[in-house]
Amino acid sequence: MKRAVLYLRVSTVDQTTANQERELREVAARMGCEIVKVYKDHGISGAKGREKRPQFDAMLKAATKREFDLVMAWSVDRLGRSLQDLAAFLSELHGTGRDLYLHMQALDTTTPGGRAMFQMMGVFAEFERSMIQERVRTGIRRAKSEGKRLGRPPIAPELEKRIRAALDKPGRTEGVRKIAARFNVDPGTVQRISRPFDVSVAVAG
């Protein structure tokens, strides 16, 4: 008997996961699966990343520990709002040897048809990533051709001089972040000032 877990999510606190859970329990019974855990993210948007969905994150950690065999969810949008997010989830899930059942899409990766659909999702997700990367590169080329400066604007020479003095202070106890906070600049700016040679090498490369 396969060990299954349910992943349930609703976007607002006014909604309930009860209908999703009842239907999935009936499906699990027909499939001969034992439900060993129910993960519920209540009032959390599917656009949120894994770190903002505690139960989703806990489920993936349990998958890594091989605590179940199959994830069951009501619909693909319960797992993520984009094809790219779903493909990343599936890739991680299958990397642990776990399977996925999506009720509304009739996707079951324990079957040959379900595995084929999963592979097609991976192809489309890679295509989506490539399109995004190409749009970014096109935007950068256009900005350069128009003479626009890329990256953060340079800070005033006087401010840079004060930051350098703080960095070079004998017996300094302040770290990069504290100095950045004191001068109200990004820590990366302080890091660049503290190691100008490293930055010039990175740019040259």
Side-chain angles (χ1 to χ4, degrees):
M1 179 178 286
K2 279 186 175 291
R3 299 167 301 162
V5 298
L6 306 185
Y7 177 70
L8 312 172
R9 183 189 62 77
V10 288
S11 300
T12 69
V13 294
D14 296 329
Q15 296 173 308
T16 176
T17 60
N19 293 335
Q20 296 177 35
E21 183 171 353
R22 182 175 60 253
E23 187 78 18
L24 289 172
R25 284 187 178 278
E26 291 175 2
V27 173
R30 291 197 296 269
M31 293 172 65
C33 295
E34 176 193 5
I35 297 175
V36 295
K37 179 87 174 179
V38 178
Y39 296 92
K40 300 179 184 181
D41 278 319
H42 199 81
I44 300 177
S45 169
K48 300 288 186 183
R50 172 177 171 177
E51 68 281 357
K52 298 290 181 64
R53 290 193 277 167
Q55 289 295 292
F56 186 73
D57 182 59
M59 179 180 68
L60 287 175
K61 288 177 179 177
T64 302
K65 297 175 183 177
R66 309 295 201 271
E67 293 179 4
F68 58 82
D69 306 304
L70 173 70
V71 173
M72 302 182 71
W74 176 255
S75 175
V76 64
D77 63 0
R78 299 303 90 191
L79 300 170
R81 290 296 189 184
S82 75
L83 179 60
Q84 190 171 344
D85 288 343
L86 177 63
F89 164 74
L90 285 173
S91 179
E92 184 167 356
L93 194 65
H94 276 257
T96 66
R98 308 306 92 183
D99 283 301
L100 174 67
Y101 173 84
L102 296 175
H103 186 62
M104 295 303 291
Q105 286 73 35
L107 173 68
D108 181 358
T109 61
T110 65
T111 67
R115 285 191 292 271
M117 188 179 292
F118 161 68
Q119 290 169 355
M120 286 301 297
M121 284 180 173
V123 169
F124 283 115
E126 181 59 36
F127 176 71
E128 183 184 40
R129 282 193 294 270
S130 298
M131 291 293 289
I132 291 171
Q133 290 169 357
E134 181 56 34
R135 285 196 294 270
V136 170
R137 286 193 290 265
T138 300
I140 291 174
R141 287 195 296 267
R142 184 176 65 250
K144 285 183 176 179
S145 69
E146 295 173 355
K148 294 180 180 178
R149 181 184 176 89
L150 301 177
R152 295 189 182 94
I155 64 174
E158 178 59 32
L159 178 57
E160 182 169 342
K161 183 178 178 180
R162 289 165 56 203
I163 292 172
R164 192 180 302 280
L167 287 166
D168 295 340
K169 183 179 179 181
R172 168 169 72 90
T173 58
E174 283 184 311
V176 168
R177 291 187 178 278
K178 284 190 176 181
I179 292 176
R182 178 150 65 94
F183 290 100
N184 197 28
V185 297
D186 189 270
T189 299
V190 178
Q191 194 76 20
R192 174 184 61 78
I193 295 171
S194 70
R195 295 188 301 182
F197 180 75
D198 290 351
V199 173
S200 64
V201 169
V203 171

